Structure formats: C-alpha cells, structure tokens
Amino acid sequence: MALSDRLATAREMSAARLEAVEVEDAPDLDGSIAAMSAANEAFAEIKTRTSVALFERLGTRVNDSSLTDEQLHEIVRDELTEIIEEDQQLLSPDERRRLVRDVENDALGLGPLERLLADDSVTEIMVNRYDQVYVERGGKLTLAAMRFTSEDHLRRVIDRIVSRIGRRVDESSPLVDARLADGSRVNAVIPPLAVDGSSLTIRKFSKTPLQVSDLVAYGSMTEQMARLLEACVLAKLNILVSGGTGTGKTTLLNVLSAFIPPGDRIVTIEDAVELNLQQPHVVRLESRPPNIEGAGEVKIRDLVRNSLRMRPDRIVVGEVRGGEALDMLQAMNTGHDGSLSTLHANSPRDAMARLETLVLMAGMDLPLRAIREQGASAVDLIVQIARLRDGSRRITHVTEVLGMEGDTVVLQDVFTFNFAAGVDEHGKFLGHAKPTGVRPRFSERFADEGIHFDLANLSDHGGW
C-alpha cells in the first residue's frame, strides 16, 4: 500500500475511533492510539523521504554564506513545494503545512526544538537522547511528544547551534557551552561522554526580562525584601546570589542588576552570555574555549583580572565556579564595591564555605584563615534562592556577612522563609520570607551613600 494510502487509511481509522468514543461513550482507546500511531509512522516516512530529496536539490546552497536567512528560507519553501507536488502524496492541507514546516526546521532550524522554543510556557528543554525529550513547565518536568529521527539528526542540530558562535563539539571536545541567537543557554555532551547518545540542555532566555515587580507577583520575594535589596545595590554592597541548579540565580541577578544606576560603568563576565542588562554603559565579556590545537583559551579568571583595568564601577560575574573567586574577592576588597555574582550552594553558610573551596582552586597555597577573612571582609550580603517541591522559586534567606569571630564567619539573617505555614490543597507553599526584626549593620552604609531607607520596612508591618 502506498504511503499516501496508508496515511489516508490511518486518518479514517483514527477519525472513526474518535467518533465512536463520542457516540457510544465506550472508548476503544487502544484502537485509537494504534490508528494515530500508524498515521504518525506514515507521515514520518513521507517526511524522511522529502528531507532526503530536499538536501539533494539544495546541495551546497544550504551553506552559502552570501545568502541571507530570508533568501535561504524562500529557496527551501520553493523546493519543498515542487517536491511535494512531484511526489503526488495525498496530503490534507494541514498535513502539507506541517510537512513544509517540519522539513524546513530540519534543514535550516533546530528541527523538533523549534516548536518548544516558540512555546513561552516551556522554560527548559532537556534532550536525554534523540528519542527522549523532557521539558520544564511551571517548575515541573514532563516528557515531550516530539522526537529527533535519529542520533545523526540530533548531532546535526547540535553542530548547527555551536558553529554559529564559533565553537565546536567533536571527539576531542565532547562537551560544549553555547547560546542561541535569543540568548538561551545551551549545553551539549556527545559520546563517548554521553553513553546513551548525545545530550542537549537548553535554558530558555525570557523574551521580556523579568522585573522586580514580576518576582513579587510570583511570590519569589516580598515587597519589603525588594525594597531592601534595591537599597543594598544602590549602597554598593557586594552581593552573592546563592542557590542550586535551576533555582533562578541568573534571573535574580538580572533583577538585582536593574537597580544599578544608569550612570555606572558595568563590566559583565560570563561563560556564555545570559545577562540582559538594560543600562546604557555595559561592557559584556565572554570566556573562550581552546581551539582545535588547544590554544587560545580565555578563562573567566583572565577576564576578571582584565576587567580591573577597564575602570569598572560594577563588576558582575555570571557565576563563580573556579579560581576566579580569588580575583573577585581581591577586587571586592580593593575598592570595587557593588559587585554581584552567583554560585552554587544550598545555604548562606554553605555559600561561604564553597567560596573558600573555589579560592583554593586558584592554586595560590594561601592559609585557610586568610581566605576566610578575605571572604568575610569582601562579601556583604548573601541572597539564597531555592526551588521548592511545588515547583516555585523563592528567596529563602537574605543574610548579612558580619565578619569573623575567632575562626568562624559570623552570619546574620535579615529575612528567612516561613516553611511552618505549610501547603494548600494544591500542594503550593503558603509561607513567604519574613524579616527577622534585626537591624542589619550594613544599614549604616545607606546614610553614607545618601540612600533613604526606612528601617520600619524590616518589621512585619513595614511597607513601601
């Protein structure tokens, strides 16, 4: 039986099954699923054949740098129209449009990922292997319906992503960090490191940067907390945003950076550019991996040291994960106040301990107490964010670093999350971060910097 006949038969069977479900109210779901599966299989065969024919016709034109994206897409659509007409498959108008869209995405875009990237409800895409794709919506992971046709198909998409920004992924460099044109962060790992096949993770970039009002509306922070954090940024406190993977550290860093006055010169340093600062005076620096000969690498640490020669008012490091922690602390301790950064840790105290570990990675063989003193002197405030089991992201601690007492770093909570409030009938946490009532020592800086902040905001009855 021809593919078009199989597709038409499968469509009729599926429609008949679904009609029976409505009329008899006695669903034969197994039959409906089988019919739909047959239709999908027949469509996939037509799609594969059309893709092969398209690539044969396009030849080297698909890599012609003299053509604009619009010209390439127009050529692909024209060729697809001819191929479909010559193939004489009996496709419905909807199937025809879907075929053109899917094959065009495979040829020039990111294949099945295009629809997920266009879906604003999807915040993260996780490709475990070519036939298993998970997505995150509302903080919850679900298995997506779309698949890649093969491992080679997935590898072509990965190569397309990384080549656009001058990076590579192959056996000599089997893992890579990259970004999409819209700023979405990409991580790819290929065999032999990825045992079951290539893996791809995309952290989507919000088309509209979140504002502090959005985080207040979502319940991630309270108005009292937002008011305090704004004053802390204006007063040039050195702030660390701490949290686990996927908790929203970069989003929060973006929100905090929005409080920086527009007249300040800001230097941002990242592995793959994610931050989207709105101020006019911003210099964005991005690290670079080694080339195929193993030369030309530029590390975060190199960029942090170089930024000190760029006359920055603020240094924003996307994430501290290595020896650059030492250079950042030295910058904070030598007049570069108002620095912002993130790191992975599960609590404010863990954040200070991890900072010590990262400084040791610089290989300077410094005494532990000297490292601890430098950290306690440099960091003024730790903002801890967590993803709770209901999928929400909340700031759980706003903690002041007071200094050293003996061999211990002294911390003081200004806000803590009230977990005792429990959850509602839908499993959502009812609690929110409450002020502890203590007067933070850094509030003295507010007066020095001419910042008006009413300490009544740090009481349960405080407000704007």
Side-chain angles (χ1 to χ4, degrees), residues 54 80 148 182 216 219 248 261 294 301 386 390 416 432 437 454:
L54 175 66
L80 278 174
F148 291 86
D182 66 355
V216 172
R301 187 173 186 188
D390 64 356
T416 57
H432 60 274
D454 187 355

Side-chain angles (χ1 to χ4, degrees), residues 115-153:
R115 277 178 285 170
L116 295 177
L117 291 169
D119 186 346
D120 291 336
S121 68
V122 174
T123 54
E124 193 147 6
I125 304 167
M126 291 146 280
V127 182
N128 294 345
R129 55 179 187 264
Y130 79 88
D131 59 349
Q132 188 182 79
V133 182
Y134 281 85
V135 297
E136 181 188 62
R137 287 186 175 94
K140 300 291 186 179
L141 300 183
T142 56
L143 183 65
M146 53 278 301
R147 307 281 186 272
F148 291 86
T149 56
S150 65
E151 170 69 13
D152 288 340
H153 185 196

Side-chain angles (χ1 to χ4, degrees), residues 370-412:
I371 296 173
R372 190 166 295 170
E373 286 178 345
Q374 192 168 49
S377 173
V379 179
D380 298 307
L381 191 69
I382 299 171
V383 183
Q384 184 72 35
I385 187 168
R387 183 171 61 180
L388 307 184
R389 65 175 180 268
D390 64 356
S392 64
R393 293 166 170 86
R394 309 285 187 95
I395 293 178
T396 59
H397 296 80
V398 175
T399 302
E400 180 181 16
V401 182
L402 293 175
M404 294 282 293
E405 188 173 289
D407 291 330
T408 304
V409 177
V410 180
L411 304 178
Q412 176 176 264

